[in-house]
Amino acid sequence: VQRGYELNFPLQVVRLEDRANQGINSLPPRGSLLELSAENLVMIAFKRSQDNPHRWILRCYESQGEEAEVSFNSDLGLAIEGSVDLLERPVDQSPESPTLQALRIAPWQIRSYAIVQA
């Protein structure tokens, strides 16, 4: 599933203007905006929140009919604030703590999370 998305929707690079030349002219050898560790999770959206410019929305779904555990990692210091619905409103939290950044997704389920900079 992931390879199909990569083929049909290739990554689009957008060059931003240099805001301030800080003397750093190279990138680290490896970096990650964000990483979902489960192979059966497919990220379908990562966008700025409609209501809060300091919050992002991550939307993903389970693609293989098996329960998945999301382990969220980011080199940018991003953290899961909590689950949200499709209108970006907070939903009731499960007994699992979002601060652990380990959340379960049921088979075929679509989940959305609010993401903030920690």
Side-chain angles (χ1 to χ4, degrees):
V1 174
Q2 185 66 37
R3 298 294 180 239
Y5 275 102
E6 291 170 2
L7 176 66
N8 291 313
F9 302 104
L11 182 64
Q12 295 179 354
V13 177
V14 178
R15 183 171 183 217
L16 301 176
E17 296 296 323
D18 188 16
R19 294 183 193 168
N21 189 355
Q22 301 168 342
I24 300 172
N25 294 325
S26 64
L27 294 172
R30 183 170 191 260
S32 175
L33 171 65
L34 59 91
E35 181 180 339
L36 300 175
S37 64
E39 291 291 322
N40 57 336
L41 289 178
V42 177
M43 181 174 57
I44 54 177
F46 187 72
K47 66 180 194 84
R48 191 175 297 265
S49 172
Q50 296 290 327
D51 300 329
N52 184 347
H54 302 291
R55 191 167 85 170
W56 294 82
I57 302 299
L58 166 70
R59 189 165 296 127
C60 60
Y61 74 92
E62 194 288 319
S63 65
Q64 297 176 8
E66 302 170 358
E67 188 174 272
E69 185 173 309
V70 179
S71 293
F72 180 80
N73 299 311
S74 172
D75 290 345
L76 300 177
L78 301 176
I80 296 175
E81 182 179 59
S83 293
V84 294
D85 62 14
L86 293 177
L87 297 176
E88 302 177 9
R89 299 175 299 203
V91 297
D92 294 334
Q93 294 293 321
S94 65
E96 301 172 31
S97 171
T99 58
L100 295 177
Q101 296 191 14
L103 304 166
R104 295 219 176 266
I105 297 181
W108 312 115
Q109 186 178 28
I110 298 172
R111 294 288 297 265
S112 298
Y113 301 102
I115 307 295
V116 294
Q117 188 148 18

